[in-house]
Amino acid sequence: MATRSPSETPACYAMVHHGLENIAADEIAQSLGGDVKRSGNGIVVFRLDEIDRGVLTLRTTEDVFLYGWGTDALSYRAKDLEQIERWTARDVRWDALLKIHHAVTPKPKGKPTYRLVAQMTGTHGYRRIDALKAMARGLAGHLPASWRPAEENAAVEIWLTIHGAMAICGMRLSDRDMRHRTYKYEHLPASIRPTVAAAMARLADLKPGQVVLDPMCGAGTLLAEAYLSTRGKKSIEGKDWQLQFLGGDLDRSHAKFAQTNLRQFGITD
């Protein structure tokens, strides 16, 4: 179990596609100045000097959370449920996490709501719903009594993720826009995920004057992520990077979708 002193800024963790942990860790370190503590199983745990909306600018991660508790030593047996309840109840300063959450993600209008989420992979001696109920019991009295549960669009979400012997619990800072992107007006089935496209663009290590070509561009996700990965970068002379972005697709309707999504960035080829 990882614990912290009452005055210490809590850690964060990012959820990423398996296999992209090192790329996401690199982005966290370079873009945010984060101190990566560990990565694996689709999770990257890191610390920042200050937690602000900058964490929501990460492009290779699916979601970002405030770290509550974590372990690598689940027993796979029903006694894990007692541990989950106890860790949730005693090892997390939920009031401090709520304060940071409200600073990063302002409270919505109306009566606040909350949502509890449990994910579980692997064979355990209990069900996912049992783990969710154990977390809920641990949270009893830690959230304002006036808050009501909601199935979606909740003001605050608390997640428990179990993968084999690993479990991690925290408060979600991001929302669906982080993984789905607001620039995608048009969508296609089986399109590349934006976070994977962002990882590809990062690995490409683009340079000024280069041409980015996607001959099977679909809805234009890869071109969009390549453009966004270089937006705002300056040359030695202080000028914006100049790159050319080209896309094509055998299906004309797909190319039109890409044009719709990319026109906002000035990409029309």
Side-chain angles (χ1 to χ4, degrees), residues 75-84 124-126 134 137:
S75 69
Y76 294 86
R77 297 191 293 273
K79 69 177 184 179
D80 287 343
L81 300 176
E82 298 176 4
Q83 298 277 64
I84 290 170
H124 297 76
Y126 47 90
R137 291 193 298 271

Side-chain angles (χ1 to χ4, degrees), residues 21-38:
E21 293 92 345
N22 289 342
I23 301 172
D26 181 72
E27 183 188 13
I28 289 166
Q30 290 192 12
S31 299
L32 302 181
D35 180 13
V36 176
K37 296 299 184 181
R38 59 167 295 174

Side-chain angles (χ1 to χ4, degrees), residues 56-268:
L56 304 182
T57 65
L58 294 170
R59 307 205 64 80
T60 60
T61 69
E62 297 282 307
D63 276 299
V64 177
F65 297 79
L66 293 170
Y67 180 95
W69 59 264
T71 182
D72 288 315
L74 291 181
S75 69
Y76 294 86
R77 297 191 293 273
K79 69 177 184 179
D80 287 343
L81 300 176
E82 298 176 4
Q83 298 277 64
I84 290 170
E85 180 179 349
R86 183 169 70 253
W87 291 331
T88 304
R90 300 180 184 177
D91 289 1
V92 187
R93 290 191 56 209
W94 293 108
D95 57 337
L97 298 194
L98 280 171
K99 185 176 180 179
I100 295 172
H101 181 280
H102 294 334
V104 174
T105 307
K107 291 182 182 180
K109 296 180 180 179
K111 186 171 292 187
T113 56
Y114 68 92
R115 178 177 178 232
L116 306 183
V117 178
Q119 303 171 316
M120 188 167 73
T121 60
T123 302
H124 297 76
Y126 47 90
R127 301 170 298 164
R128 180 184 62 84
I129 189 65
D130 298 323
L132 181 66
K133 289 179 179 178
M135 179 176 67
R137 291 193 298 271
L139 281 167
H142 289 287
L143 298 177
S146 60
W147 288 20
R148 294 291 178 263
E151 290 298 320
E152 57 183 19
N153 299 323
V156 172
E157 292 187 358
I158 298 173
W159 288 36
L160 170 64
T161 299
I162 298 173
H163 181 72
M166 183 276 292
I168 193 166
C169 179
M171 187 175 292
R172 191 186 188 199
L173 287 175
S174 53
D175 60 22
R176 67 183 305 275
D177 288 343
M178 187 170 211
R179 60 176 66 188
H180 294 298
R181 309 296 205 243
T182 57
Y183 65 73
K184 296 194 71 171
Y185 299 116
E186 299 287 354
H187 299 264
L188 291 172
S191 287
I192 187 172
R193 290 191 70 86
T195 53
V196 176
M200 292 172 66
R202 191 170 187 85
L203 287 174
D205 192 23
L206 298 173
K207 298 291 189 295
Q210 291 183 330
V211 176
V212 181
L213 169 65
D214 185 353
M216 299 177 288
C217 66
T221 306
L222 183 56
L223 292 172
E225 293 299 327
Y227 167 80
L228 291 169
S229 73
T230 62
R231 184 172 62 176
K233 290 188 175 182
K234 301 291 184 180
S235 66
I236 297 176
E237 296 79 18
K239 297 180 179 180
D240 292 336
W241 281 22
Q242 296 298 316
L243 293 93
Q244 187 176 10
F245 299 89
L246 303 175
D249 202 288
L250 284 175
D251 191 321
R252 288 182 178 274
S253 65
H254 291 189
K256 289 182 178 179
F257 287 168
Q259 284 184 317
T260 299
N261 289 334
L262 298 173
R263 191 174 292 118
Q264 62 193 296
F265 304 132
I267 301 173
T268 57

